[in-house]
């Protein structure tokens, strides 16, 4: 009978746990405490104990459990207990008053209906039922749900739990993330079945290109490195104990990105969520999963934009709205990358991933472990490229100095806005902190090959590039003093032959720079389209990828073709030489 009635009792149990009413103590009562909340808690403990013992017997009632728990978790903001007013003692007053003035005077407790009663609710009216419901989700998953239905069961609760993270108390946030990590966990046997985690796996294009000096094709350019195979290869750095805590899929991360994209104000609490997640699952898995899902999020945006713009006129209202929508979501992706890099470099929860990435690109050993770590860097670089300074910060930490300096030398002018300068100013101040203290000593090293990735010469070149981009401010003077103190030593002690032209073709740096430029091209293109949408001049093209800037410039200057432009320039050059003679 308990088994059959439990799914129907559960909604009332969750409602009663949030009831804060306490009756006046009676001398004739034999119960130590008569509060509804206390009695409901005792009942809940007994029922959970019974479910743990006879879990499989409740499989037939699983649907009713899900309905009851979803009713509690789907109510955003306040719980069902808060919607139903808490009972409270009232003084004697006349009830059931009749027209002749007669009635019954009675004492008792009744539900409060006045708005003034809201002030009397304690905070745990919302918290207690939520914690109880979340605990039931975990118990049912562990003791009732069959293995074949665990994935489907988890999908029922992922989205409601993610929505509850909005302005939730700390205890609720921690509990939600704990439950999500438990109901999405994958068995070690399932993880090991992936062929990409075998000892013979390779990193495909990244290191093959570095060895074979070949450029990758356009198709490979689109799929690498954000593929499941490469993600699994990168996660091969984890040991077997850490793999036991991995999720079977990335639906939680996709739902979190989708929720935050619809309400960007939630980004203020994202760092707290990521830190908690890193304590429940390996931080490497957290960052790879967020990176993969953010890439999918942006790819879907660009595919939708291409589809919309192919069916409407360039100057139509729908086209302008689509450009504004893309700009909005790309700005969200930049903010998301900023939060991720801040947590990675500053939080204790991500310390293990931070130490793993330290100088991983500049390591000369070609062991499988180093290749996996380099692949992890490659995935994160593609993710952090949504924010220029985040990508530069990751390169500084991982020893990819040649990659960062080469990117700065090819940076798009549209990226050099006020936000970029403010972030770069903050990065310079960050470099002076103890976290990057080793960079100051590294600039004094003497390198056998100054042009290689991770060399002190490349680090010095990167910092000089940052100095040249920075406006003259406090950070500019700070970095200038640092470089001047090293410049005299490097001039007399460090061999710098071949530094005038750093060639990165055929190296991993070329791949890394291309990844950053791919992402930045999306952002700059969106900025340019946003600027064009505000222009009074009618737009004549929708796809700017095929536009030849030089041809447009020649047409504007009055040249018929490229040959005429070249001949005119040669003629002007000869006339200039004659005048000087």
């Amino acid at each position: 009978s308990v088994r059959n009635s439990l799914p129907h009792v559960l909604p009332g149990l969750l409602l009663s746990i949030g009831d804060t009413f306490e009756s006046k103590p009676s001398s004739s009562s034999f119960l130590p405490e008569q509060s509804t909340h206390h009695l409901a808690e005792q009942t809940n403990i007994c029922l959970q104990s019974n479910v743990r013992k006879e879990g499989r017997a409740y499989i037939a009632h699983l649907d009713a459990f899900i309905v009851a728990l979803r009713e509690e978790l789907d109510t955003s903001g306040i719980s069902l207990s808060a919607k139903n007013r808490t009972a409270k003692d009232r003084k004697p007053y006349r009830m059931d008053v009749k027209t002749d003035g007669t009635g019954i005077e009675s004492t008792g407790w009744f539900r409060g209906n006045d708005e003034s009663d809201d002030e009397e609710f304690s905070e745990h009216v919302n918290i207690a039922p939520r914690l109880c419901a979340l605990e039931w989700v975990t118990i049912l998953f562990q003791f009732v749900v069959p293995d074949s239905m665990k994935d489907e069961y988890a999908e029922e609760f992922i989205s409601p739990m993610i929505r509850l993270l909005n302005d939730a108390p700390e205890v609720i946030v921690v509990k939600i993330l704990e439950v999500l990590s438990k109901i999405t966990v994958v068995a070690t046997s399932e993880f090991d079945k992936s062929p990409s985690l075998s000892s013979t796996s390779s990193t495909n294009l990244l290191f093959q290109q570095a060895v074979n000096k070949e450029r990758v094709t356009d198709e490979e350019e689109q799929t690498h490195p954000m593929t499941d195979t490469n993600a699994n290869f990168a996660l091969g750095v984890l040991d077997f104990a850490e793999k036991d805590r991995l999720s079977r899929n990335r639906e939680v991360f996709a739902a979190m990105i989708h929720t935050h994209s619809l309400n960007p104000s939630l980004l203020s609490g994202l760092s707290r969520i990521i830190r908690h997640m890193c304590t429940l699952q390996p931080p490497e898995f957290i960052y790879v999963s967020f990176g993969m899902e953010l890439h999918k999020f942006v790819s879907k945006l660009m595919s939708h934009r291409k589809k919309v713009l192919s069916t409407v006129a360039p100057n139509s209202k729908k086209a302008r709205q689509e450009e504004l929508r893309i700009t909005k979501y790309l700005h969200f992706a930049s903010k998301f990358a900023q939060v991720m890099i801040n947590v990675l470099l500053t939080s204790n929860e991500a310390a293990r991933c931070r130490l793993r990435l330290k100088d991983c690109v500049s390591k000369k050993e070609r062991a499988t472990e180093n290749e996996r770590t380099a692949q992890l860097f490659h995935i994160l670089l593609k993710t952090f490229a949504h924010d220029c300074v985040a990508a530069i910060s990751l390169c500084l930490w991982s020893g990819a100095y040649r990659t960062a300096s080469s990117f700065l030398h090819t940076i798009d002018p549209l990226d050099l806005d006020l936000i970029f300068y403010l972030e770069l100013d903050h990065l310079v101040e960050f470099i002076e902190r103890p976290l990057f203290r080793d960079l100051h000593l590294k600039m004094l090293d003497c390198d056998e090959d100054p042009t290689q990735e991770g060399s002190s010469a490349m680090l010095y070149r990167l910092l000089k590039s940052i100095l040249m981009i920075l406006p003259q401010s406090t950070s500019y003077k700070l970095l200038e003093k640092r470089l001047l103190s090293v410049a005299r030593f490097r001039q007399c002690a460090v061999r710098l032959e071949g530094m005038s032209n750093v060639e990165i073709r055929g190296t991993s740096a070329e791949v890394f720079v291309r990844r950053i430029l791919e992402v930045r091209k999306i952002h700059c293109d969106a900025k340019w389209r946003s600027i064009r949408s505000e222009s009074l001049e009618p737009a004549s093209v929708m796809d700017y990828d095929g536009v030849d800037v030089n041809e447009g410039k020649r047409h504007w200057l009055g040249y018929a073709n490229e040959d005429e432009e070249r001949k005119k320039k040669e003629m002007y050059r000869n006339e200039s030489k004659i005048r000087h003679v």
Side-chain angles (χ1 to χ4, degrees):
S1 61
V2 173
R3 187 184 310 143
N4 295 332
S5 62
L6 180 55
H8 307 286
V9 172
L10 187 57
L13 187 66
L14 296 175
L15 187 65
S16 299
I17 284 181
D19 198 334
T20 58
F21 168 72
E22 296 184 7
S23 62
K24 296 179 180 179
S26 175
S27 58
S28 62
S29 175
F30 64 91
L31 294 176
E33 188 175 349
Q34 300 183 62
S35 68
T36 307
H37 172 75
H38 177 74
L39 295 176
E41 278 191 337
Q42 296 300 318
T43 305
N44 182 57
I45 293 173
C46 295
L47 294 177
Q48 288 183 354
S49 177
N50 185 268
V51 171
R52 288 189 178 96
K53 292 179 181 178
E54 304 177 6
R56 299 303 179 185
Y58 290 89
I59 294 179
H61 307 284
L62 193 57
D63 290 342
F65 279 117
I66 293 176
V67 171
L69 295 174
R70 281 292 300 266
E71 186 178 6
E72 172 66 35
L73 298 176
D74 281 337
T75 54
S76 59
I78 60 175
S79 65
L80 293 178
S81 298
K83 287 185 175 181
N84 296 272
R85 302 298 181 185
T86 305
K88 59 180 293 185
D89 264 334
R90 299 274 179 89
K91 295 180 179 180
Y93 68 100
R94 190 172 295 278
M95 289 183 58
D96 301 331
V97 179
K98 299 180 181 179
T99 55
D100 58 358
T102 61
I104 302 174
E105 288 190 355
S106 174
T107 62
W109 54 272
F110 307 92
R111 295 289 175 185
N113 295 319
D114 299 330
E115 294 182 358
S116 59
D117 293 336
D118 291 339
E119 301 177 358
E120 302 179 13
F121 294 151
S122 59
E123 190 180 39
H124 77 274
V125 173
N126 285 337
I127 295 178
R130 290 276 164 81
L131 292 177
C132 181
L134 293 171
E135 184 65 25
W136 271 104
V137 171
T138 305
I139 291 175
L140 293 175
F141 178 83
Q142 294 176 341
F143 298 97
V144 179
V145 181
D147 292 340
S148 59
M149 298 176 59
K150 287 185 181 295
D151 192 10
E152 184 179 352
Y153 175 83
E155 290 179 1
E156 290 286 341
F157 296 100
I158 289 177
S159 296
M161 290 186 188
I162 296 298
R163 288 195 294 268
L164 287 180
L165 293 174
N166 183 12
D167 297 329
E170 185 77 11
V171 63
I172 294 292
V173 172
V174 174
K175 188 63 177 180
I176 288 175
L177 297 177
E178 178 185 340
V179 173
L180 287 175
S181 66
K182 289 181 179 179
I183 67 176
T184 59
V185 71
V186 62
T188 306
S189 58
E190 296 178 16
F191 192 83
D192 291 337
K193 290 179 182 178
S194 175
S196 59
L197 294 174
S198 63
S199 58
T200 58
S201 298
S202 66
T203 48
N204 301 328
L205 303 175
L206 174 61
F207 292 100
Q208 289 178 14
Q209 179 183 353
V211 174
N212 300 329
K213 310 293 185 181
E214 297 177 354
R215 297 184 63 88
V216 295
T217 63
D218 292 339
E219 182 178 357
E220 293 166 340
E221 192 79 35
Q222 298 295 327
T223 59
H224 184 73
M226 313 304 279
T227 62
D228 291 334
T229 301
N230 288 326
N232 288 337
F233 180 85
L235 293 177
V237 298
L238 305 176
D239 55 32
F240 289 106
E242 293 171 329
K243 292 176 184 177
D244 290 339
R245 297 189 291 152
L246 301 187
S247 302
R248 68 174 59 88
N249 52 45
R250 294 187 292 268
E251 291 186 8
V252 172
F253 303 91
M256 198 167 295
I257 290 175
H258 177 72
T259 301
H260 284 77
S261 66
L262 296 178
N263 190 0
S265 62
L266 299 179
L267 287 172
S268 59
L270 180 62
S271 60
R272 177 185 61 167
I273 294 175
I274 295 178
R275 289 198 302 270
H276 284 312
M277 296 178 75
C278 289
T279 62
L280 300 170
Q281 293 180 303
E284 295 86 350
F285 173 73
I286 299 298
Y287 273 83
V288 168
S289 299
F290 270 128
M292 297 290 290
E293 292 306 318
L294 188 63
H295 172 72
K296 289 183 179 179
F297 176 79
V298 174
S299 298
K300 289 180 180 179
L301 285 178
M302 305 314 296
S303 299
H304 183 267
R305 183 183 73 172
K306 184 177 181 180
K307 181 179 179 180
V308 171
L309 297 184
S310 63
T311 59
V312 298
N315 297 315
S316 65
K317 182 179 179 180
K318 189 173 182 180
R320 295 175 184 271
Q321 291 177 345
E322 181 65 16
E323 296 298 350
L324 293 176
R325 190 180 76 91
I326 293 296
T327 303
K328 169 188 171 183
Y329 284 126
L330 288 179
H331 180 69
F332 156 76
S334 299
K335 294 295 184 182
F336 201 96
Q338 291 175 21
V339 175
M340 290 182 65
I341 191 64
N342 287 335
V343 174
L344 178 64
L345 294 180
T346 60
S347 69
N348 295 329
E349 293 80 0
R352 189 183 61 191
C353 181
R354 183 167 64 244
L355 293 177
R356 196 185 296 277
L357 289 169
K358 181 64 176 175
D359 296 331
C360 65
V361 179
S362 58
K363 293 179 180 178
K364 298 180 180 180
E365 297 84 359
R366 294 298 305 278
T368 304
E369 185 76 9
N370 293 339
E371 292 186 1
R372 293 184 188 275
T373 307
Q375 186 64 60
L376 175 63
F377 164 80
H378 199 179
I379 294 174
L380 296 184
L381 181 65
K382 180 85 173 181
T383 304
F384 293 153
H386 288 287
D387 182 76
C388 293
V389 179
I392 296 172
S393 302
L394 180 66
C395 291
L396 269 173
W397 180 257
S398 304
Y401 312 130
R402 180 172 60 179
T403 298
S405 61
S406 300
F407 163 66
L408 285 177
H409 282 259
T410 58
I411 191 170
D412 195 298
L414 288 174
D415 278 329
L416 301 178
D417 53 11
L418 178 60
I419 301 299
F420 172 80
Y421 286 124
L422 292 175
E423 292 179 8
L424 198 63
D425 187 88
H426 182 70
L427 175 61
V428 173
E429 296 179 359
F430 204 69
I431 292 174
E432 293 298 321
R433 297 182 182 180
L435 184 66
F436 285 99
R437 189 68 65 193
D438 61 305
L439 297 183
H440 305 158
L441 298 177
K442 190 173 183 63
M443 285 189 289
L444 302 178
D445 292 347
C446 297
D447 309 300
E448 296 181 1
D449 182 7
T451 62
Q452 70 178 358
E453 190 75 277
S455 66
S456 62
M458 290 292 102
L459 173 60
Y460 190 75
R461 180 174 183 253
L462 169 59
L463 296 179
K464 283 198 302 181
S465 302
I466 294 176
L467 181 67
M468 293 298 102
I469 293 177
L470 273 174
Q472 295 194 15
S473 59
T474 304
S475 296
Y476 175 90
K477 296 178 181 178
L478 190 66
L479 184 58
E480 182 187 30
K481 291 180 180 179
R482 175 71 63 183
L483 295 179
L484 286 176
S485 63
V486 180
R488 182 64 64 180
F489 168 80
R490 297 191 61 84
Q491 184 178 5
C492 63
V494 180
R495 182 172 59 90
L496 298 176
E497 288 86 351
M499 284 293 297
S500 58
N501 185 20
V502 178
E503 179 61 47
I504 63 172
R505 183 179 296 274
T507 65
S508 60
E510 181 189 12
V511 181
F512 295 148
V513 172
R514 193 182 304 118
R515 300 308 168 201
I516 302 176
L517 294 178
E518 286 175 5
V519 179
R520 295 316 309 167
K521 186 178 184 301
I522 295 175
H523 285 260
C524 292
D525 181 61
K527 289 180 181 179
W528 174 245
R529 289 174 182 270
S530 179
I531 295 172
R532 290 290 300 124
S533 65
E534 298 175 358
S535 175
L536 297 178
E537 181 183 356
S540 58
V541 294
M542 296 296 293
D543 185 9
Y544 295 98
D545 294 336
V547 176
D548 188 349
V549 178
N550 294 326
E551 182 179 355
K553 185 178 179 181
R554 281 194 296 270
H555 178 74
W556 184 73
L557 292 174
Y559 297 118
N561 49 47
E562 185 177 359
D563 291 336
E564 181 180 347
E565 180 185 14
R566 180 172 49 79
K567 291 179 181 179
K568 287 290 185 181
K569 288 183 177 180
E570 185 67 25
M571 182 184 69
Y572 295 149
R573 194 177 298 111
N574 293 333
E575 292 178 355
S576 177
K577 290 180 180 179
I578 294 174
R579 284 196 298 268
H580 284 297
V581 172

